[in-house]
């Protein structure tokens, strides 16, 4: 097992999925205060700030000023939904290097209140980068981008729509055990907040073939915070530490020969497991970015839970439900598919993994010891980022 | 990300920025109905999207416009007025025979296209450039 130098000591997930009247900064500040309280620390203890910039440019300054903190380590790595796995990896690195002792990660989003159509939006880029400038005339929305991966996966490996649907069925089952997720689904106006069947998923309308509506994450408001501390601070914190045991980072982009069914997760995953000194089959909790069903299927393979092409059969029969032995439990908070997806949900992967390793989840896996949090940022079918973090309890 | 309030219901297909430094020559060539890609003179390596015009080892070549569908999706919902009216339409990665991969639209009846299908280049003319789209070959 890897040396234990940095641990998650405080977490908070803002309960609201609709937070009209609140700003992103307010959601961040509120979450930060609660996460520090959870750790038994205060704002004065924070000496490192990590921020993905959702409040605007130069967010390292904005957020520090708003929180009234004076960090001496600043990291504004902004890689979409995966930003927070990058932040956790960097915080552990900075703590191990002796640069900081108490790191704060925060997130706040008002996507729902702003009625942002993330998946199908008419996004305009006034100053596009070259790769994007090649694609502007073709109207490929975010969901369509992931659909390109799903179509190729089905073609190469015979993956079926039923197998992809299993992932949405499992995350909904987990969401229904999470009162905040259930309240959230109602608050954002979902008509059906019951268990889903594979038929329900496949009976929902196609948004971008082969992906159906119920294979897409919801759009919500949300916020959260994570406090990461050095081993010398752990003794004074309130909750059992959740150690950052290993991490890996990568990016992927189209190129001319890329196998679209393999993501940058295949590069970020192995070093994370090696550093942690564990194998995928040791993992109890798989917190895997579920923007869409195909994201999870691809990443389960890329991280080594299933062989490439066998993700479909791997997820069959509710295998990744919290109460099934023999495979990790997937996204036990309900995930982006059924709990919350304010746009960049990577922070919630760290939060739920921590709950599980503390024994605090609403779908608690008995004796959960090891978790992986894998963030996918950007768009899987074109340009994306990947960060894998392996977490373990004492 | 903002929706352009000036975009009306009869809006036209969004076009690339024609003065973007790396891709401007590509879109200029499209205006002449030439689908271009780059090739490294020494290694033969194919480069796409185009990178700069300052590397003397990179030569610009014309594609014959024939390729194979690598993957595709039928887009049924889009927030932009043009694409909302245009839906359902097919977006695909096409592997051109010369060795480069292009994201493009396939003008085909939704639901009829298959991965691996042969497609051929057509042009949709606009002010300042033409947009390469593909149709099933033959």
């Amino acid at each position: 097992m890897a040396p234990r130098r940095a641990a998650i000591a405080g977490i908070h997930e803002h309960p609201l999925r609709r937070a009209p009247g609140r700003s992103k900064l307010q959601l961040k500040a509120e979450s930060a205060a609660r996460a520090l309280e959870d750790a038994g620390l205060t704002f004065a203890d924070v000496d490192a700030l990590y921020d993905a910039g959702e409040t605007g440019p130069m967010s390292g300054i904005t957020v520090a000023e708003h929180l009234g903190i004076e960090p001496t380590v600043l990291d504004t790595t902004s890689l979409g939904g995966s930003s927070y796995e990058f932040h956790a990896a960097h915080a552990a690195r900075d703590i191990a290097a002796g640069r900081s002792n108490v790191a704060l990660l925060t997130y706040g989003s008002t996507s729902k209140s702003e009625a942002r159509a993330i998946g199908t939006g008419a996004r305009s880029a006034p100053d596009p980068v070259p790769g994007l400038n090649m694609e502007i005339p073709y109207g490929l929305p975010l969901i369509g981008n992931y659909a390109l991966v799903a179509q190729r996966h089905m073609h190469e490996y015979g993956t079926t729509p039923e197998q992809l649907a299993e992932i949405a069925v499992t995350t909904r089952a987990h969401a229904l055990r999470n009162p905040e997720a259930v309240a959230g689904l109602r608050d954002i106006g979902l008509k059906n907040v019951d268990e889903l069947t594979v038929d329900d998923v496949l009976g929902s309308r196609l948004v971008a073939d082969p992906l159906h509506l119920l294979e897409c994450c919801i759009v919500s408001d949300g916020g959260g915070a994570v406090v990461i501390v050095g081993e010398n601070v752990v003794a004074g914190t309130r909750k059992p530490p959740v150690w950052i045991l290993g991490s890996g980072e990568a990016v992927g982009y189209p190129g001319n020969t890329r196998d679209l069914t393999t993501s940058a997760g295949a590069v970020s995953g192995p070093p994370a497991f090696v550093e942690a000194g564990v194998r995928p089959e040791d993992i109890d909790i798989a917190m895997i970015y579920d923007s869409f069903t195909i994201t999870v299927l691809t990443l389960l393979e890329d991280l080594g839970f299933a062989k490439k092409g066998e993700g479909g059969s791997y997820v069959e029969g509710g295998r990744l439900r919290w109460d099934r032995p023999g495979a990790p439990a997937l996204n036990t908070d309900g995930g982006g598919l059924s709990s919350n997806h304010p746009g960049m949900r990577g922070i919630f992967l760290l939060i739920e993994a921590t709950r599980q390793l503390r024994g605090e989840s609403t779908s608690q896996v008995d004796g959960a010891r090891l978790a992986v949090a894998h963030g996918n940022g950007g768009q899987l079918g074109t340009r994306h980022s990947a960060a894998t973090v392996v977490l373990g309890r004492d | 990300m903002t929706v352009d309030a000036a975009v009306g219901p009869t809006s036209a297909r969004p076009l690339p920025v024609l003065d973007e430094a790396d891709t401007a020559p590509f879109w200029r060539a499209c205006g002449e109905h030439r689908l271009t890609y780059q090739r490294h003179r020494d290694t033969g390596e194919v480069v796409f999207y185009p990178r700069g015009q300052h590397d003397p080892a990179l030569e610009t070549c014309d594609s014959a416009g024939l390729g194979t569908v690598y993957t595709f999706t039928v887009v049924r919902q889009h927030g932009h007025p043009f694409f909302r009216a245009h839906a359902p339409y097919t977006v695909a990665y096409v592997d051109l025979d010369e060795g480069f991969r292009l994201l493009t639209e396939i003008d085909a009846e939704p639901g009829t296209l298959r991965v691996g299908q042969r497609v051929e280049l057509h042009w949709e003319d606009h002010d300042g450039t033409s947009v390469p789209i593909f149709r099933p070959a033959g």
Side-chain angles (χ1 to χ4, degrees):
Chain A
M1 197 70 86
R4 301 181 166 203
R5 297 208 180 97
I8 297 177
I11 53 171
H12 182 70
E13 176 180 352
H14 201 286
L16 294 182
R17 271 65 166 169
R18 262 178 70 92
R22 274 184 173 83
S23 71
K24 296 173 198 171
L25 261 179
Q26 288 171 341
L27 291 166
K28 286 162 79 78
E30 220 175 300
S31 300
R34 298 288 303 277
L36 285 163
E37 189 183 304
D38 184 51
L41 297 167
T42 70
F43 280 109
D45 296 312
V46 176
D47 59 7
L49 180 65
Y50 300 80
D51 199 81
E54 73 276 15
T55 56
M58 308 258 184
S59 66
I61 304 169
T62 310
V63 175
E65 179 184 11
H66 194 74
L67 300 179
I69 58 176
E70 295 180 1
T72 52
V73 170
L74 285 134
D75 181 334
T76 50
T77 299
S78 179
L79 289 161
S82 66
S83 298
Y84 306 92
E85 281 65 47
F86 282 89
H87 293 169
H90 297 178
R93 191 168 73 194
D94 295 338
I95 287 168
R99 295 276 179 178
S100 58
N101 286 304
V102 177
L104 177 64
L105 289 55
T106 66
Y107 175 51
S109 167
T110 49
S111 293
K112 181 66 186 175
S113 296
E114 293 165 30
R116 280 183 55 195
I118 297 172
T120 59
R123 309 199 300 169
S124 64
D127 192 14
V129 295
L132 202 58
N133 200 42
M134 300 297 286
E135 298 165 4
I136 286 172
Y138 300 116
L140 179 68
L142 187 144
I143 298 172
N145 190 296
Y146 284 74
L148 292 175
V149 179
Q151 188 79 254
R152 185 69 197 182
H153 205 284
M154 289 175 167
H155 171 79
E156 272 198 41
Y157 306 114
T159 306
T160 66
E162 288 77 9
Q163 290 169 334
L164 283 167
E166 286 267 6
I167 292 162
V169 171
T170 294
T171 52
R172 176 60 67 86
H174 293 163
L176 294 180
R177 302 178 51 80
N178 175 357
E180 287 180 3
V182 173
L185 291 175
R186 293 214 169 88
D187 281 351
I188 64 170
L190 248 69
K191 292 188 190 85
N192 174 359
V193 291
D194 300 324
E195 291 264 357
L196 292 178
T197 64
V198 167
D199 285 346
D200 290 334
V201 176
L202 301 185
S204 64
R205 67 187 157 82
L206 284 163
V207 179
D209 304 11
L211 295 180
H212 302 79
L213 180 66
L214 290 175
E215 295 184 78
C216 305
C217 57
I218 59 177
V219 178
S220 66
D221 296 340
V226 169
V227 178
I228 299 172
V229 304
E231 56 187 334
N232 54 330
V233 179
V234 160
T237 56
R238 293 177 54 222
K239 298 275 181 69
V242 170
W243 298 99
I244 296 173
L245 301 176
S247 64
E249 309 176 10
V251 292
Y253 43 83
N256 292 307
T257 55
R258 188 188 140 212
D259 169 12
L260 213 64
T261 65
T262 299
S263 79
V267 178
S268 69
F273 286 110
V274 167
E275 185 183 4
V278 303
R279 297 165 304 170
E281 51 268 40
D282 302 326
I283 298 293
D284 303 299
I285 309 298
M287 293 302 303
I288 295 183
Y289 205 105
D290 56 344
S291 43
F292 302 95
T293 52
I294 184 62
T295 322
V296 174
L297 193 87
T298 303
L299 289 169
L300 285 168
E301 296 171 346
D302 292 344
L303 295 175
F305 292 106
K307 286 201 183 107
K308 184 50 67 183
E310 295 179 6
S313 53
Y314 182 76
V315 303
E316 277 180 345
R319 182 165 185 199
L320 302 183
R321 288 173 66 117
W322 70 288
D323 54 356
R324 305 287 167 86
L330 173 73
N331 299 350
T332 47
D333 58 343
L337 291 167
S338 276
S339 176
N340 64 357
H341 197 295
M344 304 195 294
R345 102 168 291 273
I347 201 162
F348 305 117
L349 307 177
L350 299 170
I351 290 172
E352 175 65 8
T354 300
R355 287 194 199 107
Q356 281 283 357
L357 299 182
R358 287 175 172 184
E360 296 176 351
S361 173
T362 49
S363 292
Q364 184 60 45
V365 172
D366 275 348
R369 208 173 56 85
L370 286 167
V372 65
H374 180 90
N376 178 77
Q379 305 199 12
L380 195 67
T382 50
R383 299 165 192 90
H384 65 279
S385 54
T388 311
V389 177
V390 177
L391 300 161
R393 69 174 197 198
D394 271 328
Chain B
M1 305 298 166
T2 53
V3 177
D4 187 349
V7 174
T10 57
S11 74
R13 184 188 290 275
L15 294 177
V17 175
L18 298 180
D19 60 357
E20 194 285 313
D22 283 279
T23 54
F26 172 86
W27 288 112
R28 257 200 313 277
C30 284
E32 302 163 3
H33 288 194
R34 292 167 47 228
L35 182 68
T36 56
Y37 63 101
Q38 292 171 310
R39 193 171 55 193
H40 198 280
R41 288 180 205 277
D42 305 325
T43 65
E45 182 200 358
V46 172
V47 175
F48 192 86
Y49 61 85
R51 261 64 161 203
Q53 298 299 308
H54 308 297
D55 183 349
L58 281 183
E59 59 179 353
T60 296
C61 311
D62 287 4
S63 165
L66 289 170
T68 304
V69 174
Y70 176 72
T71 187
F72 68 95
T73 180
V74 179
V75 178
R76 298 180 185 274
Q77 187 178 341
H78 199 292
H80 186 282
F82 171 80
F83 292 117
R84 187 161 55 229
H86 193 42
Y89 54 92
T90 303
V91 180
Y93 269 128
V94 170
D95 284 338
L96 276 298
D97 291 352
E98 293 86 359
F100 65 101
R101 183 174 291 169
L102 178 76
L103 188 84
T104 187
E105 181 175 330
I106 311 276
D107 181 10
E109 189 64 32
T112 62
L113 197 71
R114 295 289 170 263
V115 171
Q117 193 164 339
R118 295 288 290 166
V119 290
E120 62 188 19
L121 174 64
H122 287 259
W123 293 100
E124 185 183 283
D125 293 334
H126 291 271
D127 197 17
T129 190
S130 297
V131 173
I133 60 168
F134 286 73
R135 291 180 187 148

